Amino acid sequence: LSLAFLGRADRVKASRALSRERVIEGGEVELRVEVECPSRLFRFADRVPDGLELVGGDPGGMALSAGRAVYRVRAPRGVYVFWRVAVDVTDPLGLASVRVEAGDVSVLTSLPRPVEARPPRGALGGRPPTGDTAFRRAGIGEEFMEVRDYLPGDPLKRVNWKATARLGRLMSNEYEEQRSSDVLIVVDTSPWTAVGRGDTVLDHEARAALAMAEVMMASGRAVGLAAYGVGIVRPDRGANHLMKIADLLASLRPGNVRLSMVAGVLAGSGMERDCSIIVITPMGEPDSVRAVEMLARAGFRVSVLSPSPATAEAGEGGRVVEAAIRLAEVRRRWLLAEASRFADVVDWDVRRGVVWAVSAVC
C-alpha cells in the first residue's frame, strides 16, 4: 500500500518566484516557493545557494497536499543558481518516503555596486587621458607636432609669431590630432584577488571596472572587457552593452589562473593596436608584470590600476598575519616598480574608494 501511494510522487508540482532576478550587491530578494503534492504529507526545501545570506523566513517546511514558503536572502556580488525544489514524499503510515525534485531552475544575478564617478580628464598629469590616443596627423589637439607655413584659414591663435619674425613669413603651429580610442578593461582573477575581509580584492576590481566603463561610455568611448572565464568582449557602446559588462563582472570568481593567459590571447588577437588597455590587478605575482609587458610589447597603450591586498585585509589578524601582509606588500611594491617600465601604474589603497581609483586612471 505504501509503495502504491509513493508511486504518485511523480505528480509533485513546484514553482519559485523571485521578487527580482537582478539586484545590486548587498540587496535583498524575496522568494516564494509553492509545492503541490497528491500525498497527504510531504516535506520540502528550497536549497539556498552558497554565498547567499538568509535574512528572513524559512526556505522549506512540512505540509499536507499543498505548501508554501516565503523567505528573503541578501546577495553579495555573484551569479547564484537555485536548483529544483527538493520534496520528500511520505506515505500515510510514515513507513517509507521518496525524494523528488520539482520546479524549474532560477538564476539570481547580483551586480557590482554602481558608483557616481565623474573624474576630471587627464588626472594623471600631462599625458592624454586613458582612451585618448595622439595620432601623427594634423588636427586640433594639445600635443605640439611641428611648425609649418601658414595656410589660409589657420586661426590666429595658431600663428607662431617667433618663427614668423625669424623667417620673415607667416608660420603656424601644427598639433597632433587626438581622438577617443576604444578602451579594453582587463580584470585579474588570480588567487590574490580572493584576499579581503568582507569585500575581496575582486569585489573592488569589479566595482572599479564597472565605474570606469560607465564614465568612459558617457564620454563617447567604446568599452570592452576581458577576463579569464568570460573571454574578450569587444569594445562597444550603449546601455545594453554596459549591462552585459555588469553581468559578466558579477560572474567573476577568483581562481587558479594567470593574468598572462589573458594577455597572451589579447596580444595574439586582432584587437586594434590603438585600443587603450586598463589592467586591474593586485600585482601579487611576477606573472602580472609579464602580462603587462606582453600587452605593451604588442603595441597597446597600457595603464594599470592595482588594488592593494594589504588595504583590503587591513585591521584584522594577529602579529603573524600583519607581518605576512607587510612582507607581501614590500614584494608587491617592487613588482609595481617593474610594471611601471611598461605602463602607467596607479597604486590603489581600496579604503580610498572607487571614485578615487577612477579619477586616478580616467
Side-chain angles (χ1 to χ4, degrees):
L1 180 61
S2 294
L3 293 176
F5 188 85
L6 291 175
R8 301 163 59 191
D10 59 354
R11 295 165 56 186
V12 174
K13 296 181 180 179
S15 63
R16 178 193 304 107
L18 283 68
S19 60
R20 291 178 290 177
E21 294 183 349
R22 276 192 176 89
V23 66
I24 302 301
E25 60 176 324
E28 295 185 6
V29 177
E30 183 178 87
L31 296 97
R32 294 178 177 270
V33 179
E34 295 184 354
V35 180
E36 296 180 2
C37 181
S39 302
R40 296 179 181 177
L41 182 66
F42 65 90
R43 184 184 297 275
F44 67 98
D46 198 17
R47 290 162 289 187
V48 180
D50 292 340
L52 292 178
E53 178 186 357
L54 183 64
V55 295
D58 191 330
M62 183 175 289
L64 293 171
S65 298
R68 187 178 74 166
V70 180
Y71 66 100
R72 298 193 317 279
V73 295
R74 182 177 293 117
R77 181 190 60 83
V79 177
Y80 303 94
V81 178
F82 293 82
W83 300 106
R84 305 177 74 191
V85 180
V87 183
D88 293 319
V89 182
T90 306
D91 75 281
L93 301 178
L95 300 177
S97 66
V98 63
R99 167 163 290 193
V100 296
E101 295 185 348
D104 296 324
V105 174
S106 305
V107 178
L108 170 63
T109 302
S110 182
L111 303 173
R113 188 182 310 126
V115 177
E116 283 293 330
R118 293 293 182 269
R121 291 173 59 82
L124 284 182
R127 68 178 181 82
T130 299
D132 283 359
T133 302
F135 293 86
R136 295 292 298 179
R137 185 171 66 186
I140 299 175
E142 300 174 356
E143 297 294 322
F144 176 79
M145 186 167 72
E146 63 182 357
V147 177
R148 59 163 173 78
D149 287 325
Y150 175 86
L151 296 175
D154 283 351
L156 287 178
K157 66 179 181 179
R158 295 179 63 178
V159 173
N160 188 318
W161 296 108
K162 289 184 178 180
T164 296
R166 185 174 67 253
L167 298 175
R169 64 181 189 276
L170 281 174
M171 303 295 293
S172 293
N173 292 328
E174 189 68 86
Y175 297 89
E176 291 180 343
E177 178 185 6
Q178 288 186 4
R179 64 177 175 84
S180 294
S181 62
D182 295 345
V183 178
L184 186 73
I185 301 173
V186 179
V187 180
D188 187 4
T189 59
S190 61
W192 276 97
T193 63
V195 174
R197 300 279 178 173
D199 292 339
T200 65
V201 169
L202 186 53
D203 290 328
H204 294 291
E205 289 184 350
R207 292 169 196 154
L210 182 59
M212 284 190 288
E214 185 176 7
V215 167
M216 291 178 182
M217 284 188 187
S219 66
R221 298 181 178 96
V223 181
L225 179 71
Y228 187 86
V230 302
I232 302 173
V233 179
R234 290 191 170 270
D236 204 347
R237 299 174 177 84
N240 290 338
H241 186 67
L242 182 62
M243 181 56 69
K244 180 179 181 179
I245 289 176
D247 284 340
L248 293 174
L249 289 171
S251 70
L252 295 181
R253 286 286 178 268
N256 188 23
V257 298
R258 294 182 177 275
L259 185 60
S260 60
M261 298 168 64
V262 179
V265 173
L266 282 173
S269 70
M271 187 74 65
E272 295 78 3
R273 289 318 192 245
D274 63 348
C275 178
S276 295
I277 292 184
I278 303 174
V279 180
I280 309 180
T281 172
M283 201 64 69
E285 297 291 340
D287 177 77
S288 300
V289 178
R290 286 195 294 272
V292 173
E293 180 181 2
M294 289 170 63
L295 293 172
R297 294 193 183 282
F300 296 108
R301 178 167 171 241
V302 185
S303 299
V304 174
L305 175 64
S306 182
S308 167
T311 59
E313 192 80 9
E316 298 288 344
R319 291 183 178 180
V320 175
V321 173
E322 291 178 0
I325 290 174
R326 286 197 298 269
L327 182 61
E329 186 65 11
V330 170
R331 182 170 182 262
R332 173 178 166 273
R333 295 282 178 86
W334 175 76
L335 293 173
L336 288 176
E338 289 293 301
S340 66
R341 296 162 50 202
F342 311 104
D344 297 308
V345 176
V346 175
D347 186 3
W348 177 24
D349 180 336
V350 298
R351 293 170 296 189
R352 291 185 171 184
V354 171
V355 174
W356 183 93
V358 176
S359 299
V361 175
C362 294

